[in-house]
């Protein structure tokens, strides 16, 4: 009869020194086991969300509950399969591992949201619509929502491009020339601290159309941080760079284009980032007041008709647009500042 020997499966310490080292060794699980465990819980969270959609009856009349449950089951199964095969998916699998905790949190949040609104009305309706009500907006009111998105994107891009260009040129001029700074700096101190929305009456009275007035306000919100950060970047360039370039026979134009501006680019992108956030705030306010299209107008329309699901759907789209714009800006920054990799920390 065979006997069981623990020494065949576990390497036991053979001396007092080895025993002390073995006792002090921390117990840890492989990263793959932890990732798979988190993936299983994330999958179960999405399955629970699907079951919460089907287990109880809806308190309202929403037509997308069944389809939302099926989508939750599919997502839960996809998470389980993808996390199990992450080591064969390369970079996609590595990226998925880092996002699995967020998928778990999202599944739990959606489950709680569904139960607290559509099933038991712990949050009062219609002020807090369930997830399927948001899905209905994206399927039933998609043409109007897309038209509003396109109007906001056109307005945002126009004003942001003008403000960024003017702010960049002004900042370089102030940082390079003391005479320009003498005249422009007092204007910046006078106009810059005033919130762009405070210029609404002036803009809508002065400009011929609400579209041009809104473009001016967006450009104003973008231009001030870009100007200040570009000016700071050019002014902070070390004099040693200029001395080396002059020693090699560089002209003033070369010093500006090839020395000052490249060295100031990290500051410029900080200004572009700050201007992007400010411009998004202004575009919503401008569309709510004067422009008859766009996401700001859509929010105002939804609030007037007490269509809170439409309002939340527009807010989600607006958040995704802002996130996408920031991601694009960071991608451009990483491409242009590849020579400063490891120096830029934001």
């Amino acid at each position: 009869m065979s006997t069981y020997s623990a020494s065949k499966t576990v390497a036991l310490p053979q001396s007092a020194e080895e025993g002390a080292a073995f006792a002090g060794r921390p117990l840890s699980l492989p990263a793959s086991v932890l990732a798979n465990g988190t993936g299983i819980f994330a999958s179960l969270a999405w399955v629970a969300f699907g079951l919460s959609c089907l287990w109880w009856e809806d308190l309202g009349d929403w037509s997308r509950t069944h389809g939302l449950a099926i989508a939750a089951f599919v997502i839960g199964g996809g998470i389980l399969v993808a996390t199990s095969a992450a080591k064969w998916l390369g970079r996609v699998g590595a990226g998925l591992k880092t996002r699995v905790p967020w998928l778990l949190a999202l599944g739990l949040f959606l489950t709680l949201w569904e139960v607290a609104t559509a099933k038991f009305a712990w949050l009062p309706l219609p002020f807090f619509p369930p997830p399927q009500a948001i899905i209905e907006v994206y399927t039933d009111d998609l043409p109007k929502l897309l038209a509003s998105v396109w109007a906001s994107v056109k307005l945002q891009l126009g004003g942001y491009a003008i403000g960024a260009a003017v702010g960049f040129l002004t900042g370089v001029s102030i940082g390079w020339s003391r005479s320009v700074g003498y005249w422009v700096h007092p204007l910046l101190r006078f106009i810059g601290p005033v919130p762009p929305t405070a210029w609404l009456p002036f803009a809508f009275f002065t400009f011929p159309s609400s579209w041009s007035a809104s473009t001016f306000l967006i450009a104003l919100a973008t231009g001030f941080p870009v100007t200040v950060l570009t000016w700071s970047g050019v002014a902070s360039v070390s004099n040693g760079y200029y001395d080396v370039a002059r020693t090699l026979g560089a002209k003033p134009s070369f010093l500006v284009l090839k020395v000052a501006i490249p060295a100031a680019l990290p500051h410029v992108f900080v200004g572009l980032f700050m201007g992007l956030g400010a411009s998004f705030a202004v575009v919503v306010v401008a569309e709510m007041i004067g422009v008859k299209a766009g996401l700001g107008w859509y929010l105002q329309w939804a609030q007037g008709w007490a269509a809170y699901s439409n309002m939340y759907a527009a807010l989600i789209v607006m958040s995704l647009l802002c996130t996408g714009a920031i991601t694009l800006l960071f991608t451009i920054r990483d491409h242009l500042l590849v020579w400063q990799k490891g120096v830029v920390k934001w």
Side-chain angles (χ1 to χ4, degrees):
M1 182 177 64
S2 61
T3 58
Y4 174 79
S5 177
S7 61
K8 295 181 180 180
T9 58
V10 180
L12 296 177
Q14 302 298 323
S15 64
E17 291 78 5
E18 292 181 5
F22 185 83
R25 186 184 305 164
L27 296 176
S28 61
L29 294 174
S32 59
V33 175
L34 294 176
N36 291 337
T38 309
I40 293 173
F41 283 115
S43 177
L44 291 176
W46 281 89
V47 171
F49 173 48
L51 291 175
S52 68
C53 294
L54 301 177
W55 194 265
W56 298 281
E57 292 290 334
D58 289 343
L59 298 179
D61 185 17
W62 298 290
S63 60
R64 300 292 187 271
T65 302
H66 184 71
L68 184 61
I70 294 176
F73 293 145
V74 172
I75 293 174
I79 293 174
L80 181 60
V81 173
T83 52
S84 301
K87 60 181 180 180
W88 293 289
L89 297 178
R91 295 180 60 184
V92 176
L96 178 64
K97 285 183 179 180
T98 61
R99 290 169 176 80
V100 164
W102 275 105
L103 294 174
L104 171 61
L106 182 59
L108 295 175
F109 171 74
L110 291 174
T111 304
L112 180 61
W113 182 10
E114 174 71 16
V115 172
T117 54
K119 307 306 180 183
F120 297 104
W122 295 334
L123 298 175
L125 298 172
F127 304 104
F128 296 94
Q132 52 264 43
I134 308 296
I135 300 299
E136 286 185 7
V137 175
Y138 292 137
T139 57
D140 299 345
D141 202 32
L142 187 60
K144 182 184 293 185
L145 189 58
L146 289 179
S148 299
V149 170
W150 176 239
S152 293
V153 168
K154 290 192 298 182
L155 182 62
Q156 170 77 16
L157 285 178
Y160 183 77
I162 295 173
V166 174
F168 176 76
L169 294 176
T170 305
V172 172
S173 301
I174 297 174
W176 182 258
S177 174
R178 290 186 178 181
S179 59
V180 175
Y182 174 82
W183 292 103
V184 179
H185 183 237
L187 295 178
L188 289 178
R189 293 175 63 90
F190 178 74
I191 299 176
V194 180
T197 52
W199 296 92
L200 278 170
F202 169 80
F204 284 109
F205 176 78
T206 304
F207 288 85
S209 64
S210 58
W211 181 273
S212 58
S214 300
T215 302
F216 164 76
L217 293 175
I218 296 170
L220 184 64
T222 305
F224 179 68
V226 174
T227 299
V228 173
L229 269 300
T230 304
W231 165 28
S232 174
V234 173
S236 61
V237 177
S238 174
N239 290 329
Y241 295 158
Y242 298 126
D243 294 338
V244 171
R246 290 191 184 97
T247 302
L248 297 176
K251 298 180 179 179
S253 60
F254 183 92
L255 296 177
V256 175
L257 297 177
K258 300 297 184 179
V259 179
I261 292 179
L265 280 180
H267 293 76
V268 174
F269 276 100
V270 175
L272 291 173
F273 171 73
M274 296 176 63
L276 186 63
S279 64
F280 264 102
V282 172
V283 72
V284 174
V285 175
E287 288 176 342
M288 282 183 173
I289 295 178
V291 179
K292 300 304 180 183
L295 288 173
W297 171 86
Y298 190 89
L299 286 172
Q300 191 81 352
W301 168 83
Q303 183 180 3
W305 286 96
Y308 294 101
S309 56
N310 296 69
M311 185 177 67
Y312 290 123
L315 288 174
I316 293 173
V317 171
M318 192 177 300
S319 176
L320 293 176
L321 284 176
C322 187
T323 301
I326 292 174
T327 303
L328 178 61
L329 180 64
F330 283 1
T331 302
I332 297 174
R333 176 206 64 182
D334 295 338
H335 177 72
L336 292 179
L337 300 182
V338 66
W339 54 278
Q340 285 195 348
K341 186 177 182 180
V343 178
V344 181
K345 299 298 183 181
W346 65 277

